[in-house]
């Protein structure tokens, strides 16, 4: 037997009990006659004592030990003279009678502490050691708990967990697929799913009524920061529902998770904000609502005063940073630099300070009188001590810039506290996204999304302006889930494919089986999919989804611990009838 | 709103309530003035009534309807005059006031009934329709329930659900990998996991103590009956455990599932049978213990009586089929034919009837006196009315033949009832499997399995005869799970790779990261993995794992509904630097 208890379990009431523990050596302190060892496992840390006076041979034998050795000890629980109330086992220590080394350890390449001294690449290479650190252990424990709670909620609401296949068919639409060559069918390929979208719709047609699955999805994208080629989706679909049935149910799920996982009560309804309003007020469709600082369109009050930059702009928008009139010239220059970065690309930044004496000081004083500037302050509800920041230019680009600026100011002002949560729904997305160069329409979500109720007729006349019956759940500026009411009618689905530029043959080749399925009684249905990694990261209060994945890939899509991808045997290639062909 | 209730919900106490239902039309019966429609959803069937006298226009409109149309109806719950106590809603019917057609249906290519008239291929092509049939709905509902119960049990026992990656590295050892070409790393490949084995061991080294996951695994095998290229594993691993800790815990899991899912109490311990004993008594290592009919080695009592076939045989084994002395010559000939099939390959079958008058009648009477035959009966505990069946030849082959014969007789005698369950553990497997042609040793489970405690020293001297610290859970003749205590020591692991014929370079290249991990304090650990598909099929009382998968592939590994695998775009191939090369 390796243990009677875990290293996080013993308390003052266990004093005088003979116990056995196993774990890793976190720390060794040799204080003359006494050696103290902190023994660690997933559940906690327990202090071991080796007394040179009472067990001289044992205390001497501890000299063989080192950090991260795995040992098994037997001893007596004793009350500590010097209690540590920071740890649950801090009232006791173990007077060790005997120990065995279960496994030795080299000196780890970085410290196994909350804050490690190892760089990211090194920690990725030795991920199994990095995983021993408490922040990562806690993150994966949180993730496991979230997964169970999600399943409990959904099964309690009559959802069935149904597994959909991983070896499916490539559909060139959308992001790039990972493909899997078939050995049995020469020259043919499976593809890994980017999402179970089509299969969950088929399950609705199959009559399963309510489906969910926590499942891996795959996208062969050019890697961007914090994207992973494989990620986990909480995938859900329901039949015989309208939009609000879905929003209400999944809002309940979100509140349940806030309560069960984070101990937070959300009694108010989540705001439901139309896409257009979110763009106007926050400059993006995933607003961070932990703080106000809304964007205001000030075009009407700033134009026509001779300031050519504004007069020539399609759009002029402003923010009010409460209490930030104290910003120095140097700080304002830094902000100007921030908005001029290529990622934002603004030409410049106009500011206006609301002085304590009721006057205003702007960077465009020569064009605007104090009265004119007062209009700015009134429009933004700015009062003495506030700072107004203004960007101008092309509307979409300027809104995007204002959104970034708003986040930057939120960060600087400490308004984006990761222990606070501001969830909301975005609704009424555009159905299509127009490629300005080619004029082509793309599905904003995916080609199975239905138009907003009452706007279906616009498909024939004005598809560009049609809204979708689609919705996103946003928390703290991150989209954590999205979905839609689907099309369940062959004719409308055909119309969609046509608008999206599919020929009949292409539509038939790629989605023939789904169109075929619609011919046999498809129920009205809709669903939603959440990013499990992102949601967990938000609950974990960490920025990167890597922090909540056991074995993430690096930014180049490589697993540097196992060294994958890698070359394969010539025989494997031959079996697959493939040749590597580097042109 | 599409419904106030499901089609399985309404009861006598709902009479006079106005309700709305949506679902599929199962059946339409037009009885002159009255039309009856059975409306179906996942939850059940409700009878709708359209009365020509009271709602003539509505009743007429039903003529547009057909099987599998999706409709929404509003009406009044009424007590049936002609109750149907076979269905939960059989006391009521709905007097329909109005209805809408939500979705029309072509005539389905086969009937959506418990017993369909569609052939297997047709039903696979229209899987979404086949899934509407109650046996398949029930199977997937059972599977969903099992998955939740398994997770509940494991999380209640402190297991963490941790996701391991799907894009990993190919290891030529074992079955063939499916590979995934990398676009970012020219000519390199990921592989899909055959199991998360190495990752779960790394999680133990990472200190997670108890891990589980229900996850897809992939094997590119030449397809055999009832194998699927992707299948689901219940994968578990624990640290600081010995074999019996694992057997005890997972026996509890099995009993919990029997209770929670099947309503069956298993109070007795599952038998734990050594591999060698199972082979001797049942002829295989996954015995069907729903019935006795043990194999007996009768070599010592049948040899030396002048019957050359027996005298020249390495092994002679017999079965006693209780009460089957009534078998006719014709039936015995059929059995002889059965054992002569190439799959078994026996030269012939010797039988002996225990007559009611106390005499014996055998097919080898000229070699054996009644006294000699009495010895056979005594050895096998046969009494009047029993039939003894004897096979002889090479030991392993003969045992395999007797195992098949035992199953055949069990089937014929109705002893293999799918509603009965006989679970057991097989322990003490051989560690290695010898290729008789090449003399090479292969890992019977996998190369991370540790030797049985106390036999480690045989690794150096006599690896062939060493037993493994490994175990299988068997139910009704199917292996539903297996595992082992792993090696957690670099030196022993290196020794294993050497015995298995890996060069140091090969071992380092393929498993270097695992060997490296062992250098940093690996805890003693072990685990088990269950076949989710097989376990569900057994609980479902069905033969094929296809019956418990939503979208299985056919025997050629094809999904004939979506037509995968398929050719991919030339551009996709080019992006992957690949050429199809059919030689």
């Amino acid at each position: 037997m390796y243990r009677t208890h875990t290293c996080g379990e013993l308390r003052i009431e266990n004093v005088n009990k003979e116990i056995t523990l196993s774990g890793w050596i976190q720390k060794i302190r040799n204080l003359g006659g006494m050696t103290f060892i902190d023994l660690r496992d997933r559940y906690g840390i327990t202090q071991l004592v080796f007394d040179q006076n009472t067990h001289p041979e044992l205390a001497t034998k501890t000299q063989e030990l080192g950090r991260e050795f795995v040992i098994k000890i037997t001893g007596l629980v004793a009350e500590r003279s010097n209690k540590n109330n920071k740890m649950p086992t801090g009232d006791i220590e173990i007077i060790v009678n005997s120990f065995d080394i279960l496994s030795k350890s080299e000196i780890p390449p970085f410290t196994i502490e909350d804050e490690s001294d190892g760089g990211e690449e090194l920690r990725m290479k030795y991920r199994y050691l990095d995983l021993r650190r408490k922040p990562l252990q806690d993150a994966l424990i949180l993730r496991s708990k979230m997964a169970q709670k999600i399943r409990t909620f959904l099964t309690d609401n009559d959802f069935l967990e149904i597994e959909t296949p991983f070896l499916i068919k490539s559909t060139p639409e959308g992001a790039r697929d990972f493909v899997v060559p078939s050995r049995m069918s020469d020259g043919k390929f499976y593809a890994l799913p980017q999402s179970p979208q089509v299969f969950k719709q088929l399950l609705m047609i199959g009559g399963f009524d309510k489906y969910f699955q926590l499942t891996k999805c795959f996208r062969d994208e050019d890697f961007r920061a914090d994207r992973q080629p494989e990620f986990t989706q909480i995938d859900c679909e329901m039949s015989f529902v309208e939009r609000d049935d879905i929003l209400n149910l999944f809002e309940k799920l979100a509140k349940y998770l806030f309560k069960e996982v984070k101990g937070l009560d959300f009694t108010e309804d989540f705001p439901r904000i139309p896409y257009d309003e979110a763009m106007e007020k926050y400059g993006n469709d995933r607003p961070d609502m932990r703080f106000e600082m809304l964007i205001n369109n000030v075009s009407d009050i700033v134009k026509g005063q001779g300031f050519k930059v504004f007069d020539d702009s399609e759009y002029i928008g402003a923010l009010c940073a409460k209490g930030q009139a104290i910003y120095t010239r140097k700080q304002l220059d830094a902000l100007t630099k921030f908005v001029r970065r290529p990622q934002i690309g603004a030409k410049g930044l106009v500011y206006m300070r609301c002085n304590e004496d009721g006057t205003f000081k702007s960077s465009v004083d020569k064009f605007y009188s104090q009265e004119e500037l007062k209009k700015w302050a009134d429009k933004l509800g700015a009062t003495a001590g506030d700072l107004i920041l203004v960007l101008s230019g092309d509307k979409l680009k300027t809104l995007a810039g204002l959104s970034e600026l708003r986040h930057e100011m939120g960060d600087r002002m400490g308004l984006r506290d990761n222990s606070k949560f501001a969830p909301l729904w975005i609704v009424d997305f555009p159905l299509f996204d127009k490629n300005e160069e080619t004029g082509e329409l793309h599905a904003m979500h995916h080609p199975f999304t239905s138009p907003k109720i009452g706007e279906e007729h616009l498909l024939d006349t004005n598809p560009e302006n049609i809204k979708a019956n689609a919705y996103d759940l946003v928390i703290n500026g991150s989209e954590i889930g999205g979905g839609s009411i689907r099309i369940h009618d062959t004719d409308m689905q055909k119309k969609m494919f046509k608008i999206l530029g599919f020929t009949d043959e292409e539509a038939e080749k790629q989605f023939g089986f789904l169109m075929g399925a619609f011919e046999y009684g498809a129920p009205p249905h809709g669903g939603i999919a959440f990013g499990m990694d992102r949601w967990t990261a938000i609950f974990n209060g960490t920025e990167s989804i890597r922090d909540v994945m056991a074995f993430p890939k690096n930014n180049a899509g490589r697993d540097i611990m196992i060294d994958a991808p890698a070359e394969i045997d010539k025989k494997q290639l031959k079996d697959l009838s493939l040749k590597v062909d580097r042109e």
Side-chain angles (χ1 to χ4, degrees), chain A:
Chain A
M1 197 200 28
Y2 286 107
R3 61 186 176 195
T4 54
H5 296 78
T6 70
C7 295
E9 201 174 348
L10 293 166
R11 298 288 183 276
I12 192 79
E13 52 270 29
N14 302 113
V15 163
N16 283 327
K17 200 170 173 132
E18 169 134 334
I19 54 88
T20 302
L21 297 181
S22 289
W24 285 263
I25 294 179
Q26 176 75 21
K27 214 190 293 183
I28 305 180
R29 279 156 299 153
N30 194 325
L31 306 178
M34 305 283 270
T35 301
F36 294 94
I37 290 184
D38 281 353
L39 193 68
R40 184 196 72 228
D41 66 15
R42 174 185 129 197
Y43 311 93
I45 288 179
T46 299
Q47 178 166 289
L48 313 177
V49 188
F50 300 79
D51 188 337
Q52 185 74 46
N53 292 322
T54 59
H55 294 81
E57 68 305 327
L58 213 58
T60 306
K61 208 177 133 202
T62 61
Q63 288 167 13
E64 295 168 30
L65 301 176
R67 276 199 290 138
E68 300 305 317
F69 274 48
V70 183
I71 60 171
K72 170 181 143 178
I73 64 100
T74 297
L76 215 60
V77 183
E79 183 168 0
R80 277 207 219 182
S81 53
N82 193 0
K83 296 201 171 82
N84 178 347
N85 58 19
K86 282 189 196 135
M87 49 198 285
T89 63
D91 286 353
I92 58 98
E93 60 193 5
I94 312 297
I95 314 294
V96 177
N97 296 327
S98 68
F99 75 86
D100 292 317
I101 297 175
L102 299 176
S103 205
K104 294 182 183 187
S105 176
E106 302 282 324
I107 294 167
F110 48 84
T111 54
I112 315 287
E113 307 273 358
D114 288 6
E115 298 292 327
S116 173
D117 59 357
E120 170 120 36
E121 283 283 298
L122 192 66
R123 285 186 291 115
M124 292 277 272
K125 184 170 158 68
Y126 295 93
R127 184 71 175 177
Y128 47 87
L129 295 180
D130 205 22
L131 285 172
R132 288 186 192 163
R133 295 194 305 117
K134 190 161 165 40
L136 272 165
Q137 296 245 329
D138 288 346
L140 293 183
I141 290 169
L142 173 82
R143 183 174 183 134
S144 178
K145 184 172 179 186
M146 277 185 70
Q148 308 320 317
K149 294 289 176 189
I150 289 164
R151 293 201 188 87
T152 299
F153 178 90
L154 291 172
T155 51
D156 285 351
N157 279 279
D158 279 337
F159 281 75
L160 297 174
E161 185 183 20
I162 302 178
E163 295 171 59
T164 53
F166 279 71
L167 297 173
I168 63 167
K169 190 159 98 166
S170 189
T171 55
E173 220 270 333
R176 226 181 260 106
D177 286 321
F178 282 105
V179 297
V180 181
S182 160
R183 183 177 54 85
M184 310 277 282
S185 306
D186 249 17
K188 295 195 172 175
F189 293 76
Y190 302 99
L192 299 177
Q194 296 186 29
S195 92
Q197 182 63 35
V198 170
F199 290 94
K200 69 177 175 175
Q201 293 194 242
L202 290 170
L203 287 172
M204 293 305 102
I205 294 169
F208 284 97
D209 206 70
K210 292 179 184 176
Y211 141 94
F212 85 99
Q213 191 183 191
L214 271 68
T215 190
K216 278 280 174 78
C217 300
F218 304 85
R219 260 173 226 173
D220 184 13
E221 294 179 299
D222 294 323
F223 295 103
R224 285 185 272 162
D226 215 28
R227 286 277 175 144
Q228 289 281 326
E230 49 176 309
F231 55 96
T232 303
Q233 199 159 293
I234 307 160
D235 196 47
C236 308
E237 196 81 5
M238 304 167 78
S239 291
F240 303 116
V241 287
E242 288 158 347
R243 188 196 76 176
D244 285 357
D245 297 321
I246 294 185
L247 298 197
N248 294 342
L249 182 75
F250 288 97
E251 186 165 319
K252 262 193 212 157
L253 167 64
K255 286 177 177 173
Y256 175 83
L257 289 181
F258 274 119
K259 179 73 186 163
E260 295 279 321
V261 180
K262 302 298 293 179
L264 296 172
D265 278 304
F266 277 83
T267 47
E268 305 278 300
D269 289 346
F270 295 176
R272 293 181 186 179
I273 300 178
Y275 172 88
D276 289 342
E277 184 186 331
M279 293 304 286
E280 289 287 339
K281 287 190 180 166
Y282 302 92
N284 70 54
D285 59 0
R286 41 181 177 78
D288 185 345
M289 288 180 59
R290 282 173 295 183
F291 64 110
E292 192 83 352
M293 208 190 291
L294 300 184
I295 296 170
N296 274 269
N297 183 343
V298 293
S299 303
D300 53 344
I301 56 170
V302 303
K303 282 198 177 191
Q305 303 295 321
F307 182 40
K308 201 168 169 338
V309 172
F310 282 176
D311 288 349
D312 292 352
S313 287
E314 181 190 2
Y315 172 89
I316 306 117
L319 294 175
C320 171
K322 283 300 203 191
Q324 304 304 307
I326 45 169
Y327 257 52
T328 61
R329 187 61 204 229
K330 201 174 156 193
Q331 285 173 303
L332 289 163
D333 284 350
L335 279 186
T336 306
K337 218 166 166 181
F338 174 81
V339 300
R340 277 185 173 156
R341 287 176 315 145
Q343 296 94 315
I344 298 185
K347 295 227 174 63
L349 175 72
V350 169
Y351 71 83
M352 180 185 97
R353 292 199 194 96
C354 301
N355 296 326
E356 294 296 342
D357 62 4
T359 62
F360 306 103
K361 168 68 195 144
S362 87
S363 53
V364 288
D365 276 350
K366 63 176 153 177
F367 299 105
Y368 297 91
S369 65
Q370 288 287 313
E371 268 141 60
E372 287 298 328
L373 292 179
K374 173 109 188 359
K375 287 187 194 160
W376 298 20
D378 289 347
K379 174 86 180 179
L380 281 114
T383 53
D386 293 352
L387 175 69
I388 289 175
L389 300 168
V390 190
L391 292 182
S392 62
D394 166 73
K395 181 168 180 179
L396 283 180
K397 213 175 126 187
T398 304
L399 281 169
L402 283 162
S403 166
E404 294 282 338
L405 185 59
R406 182 176 172 270
H407 288 169
E408 174 69 16
M409 291 308 295
D411 282 336
R412 285 166 178 242
M413 292 163 68
L415 300 172
R416 305 181 78 193
D417 175 356
N418 278 346
S419 68
K420 295 243 155 51
F421 299 94
L424 71 143
W425 294 100
I426 299 289
V427 296
D428 296 346
F429 282 87
L431 186 55
F432 300 105
D433 203 15
K434 190 174 178 175
N435 182 325
E436 290 302 333
E437 279 168 42
T438 63
E440 284 168 8
L441 295 180
H442 297 286
M444 183 115 169
H445 272 73
H446 53 57
F448 313 111
T449 305
S450 67
K452 191 177 172 184
I453 288 173
E455 299 195 355
E456 298 87 349
H457 61 282
L458 295 173
L459 278 179
D460 296 310
T461 55
N462 189 1
E464 270 181 55
N465 288 326
I466 206 167
K467 297 291 180 198
N469 203 346
Y471 32 80
D472 275 1
L473 180 62
V474 173
I475 302 179
N476 294 3
S478 285
E479 180 214 320
I480 62 153
S484 63
I485 298 293
R486 325 298 181 188
I487 297 168
H488 68 278
D489 174 85
T490 331
D491 291 338
M492 187 181 287
Q493 189 64 66
K494 279 185 183 156
K495 204 177 278 179
M496 274 298 279
F497 285 136
K498 204 165 179 183
I499 293 170
L500 294 170
F502 284 74
T503 65
D504 284 354
E505 293 73 43
E506 284 166 349
E508 176 58 32
K509 198 177 158 209
Q510 286 178 41
F511 300 108
F513 58 97
L514 183 63
M515 311 283 273
F518 283 160
E519 305 281 3
Y520 293 100
H525 62 288
I528 193 163
F530 300 96
M532 180 70 187
D533 309 293
R534 176 60 57 202
W535 201 342
T536 312
I538 286 175
F539 270 23
N540 195 46
T542 43
E543 293 299 321
S544 171
I545 61 172
R546 274 191 226 172
D547 297 335
V548 295
M549 300 173 84
F551 300 102
K553 309 247 179 322
N554 73 5
N555 274 340
R558 292 195 65 78
D559 183 326
I560 57 180
M561 177 185 70
I562 63 171
D563 190 26
E567 301 206 341
I568 57 172
D569 270 13
K570 287 217 176 59
K571 183 170 176 321
Q572 280 176 289
L573 276 176
K574 195 164 180 269
D575 283 350
L576 297 170
S577 304
L578 286 180
K579 254 190 184 154
V580 173
D581 177 43
R582 290 192 190 81
E583 276 170 27

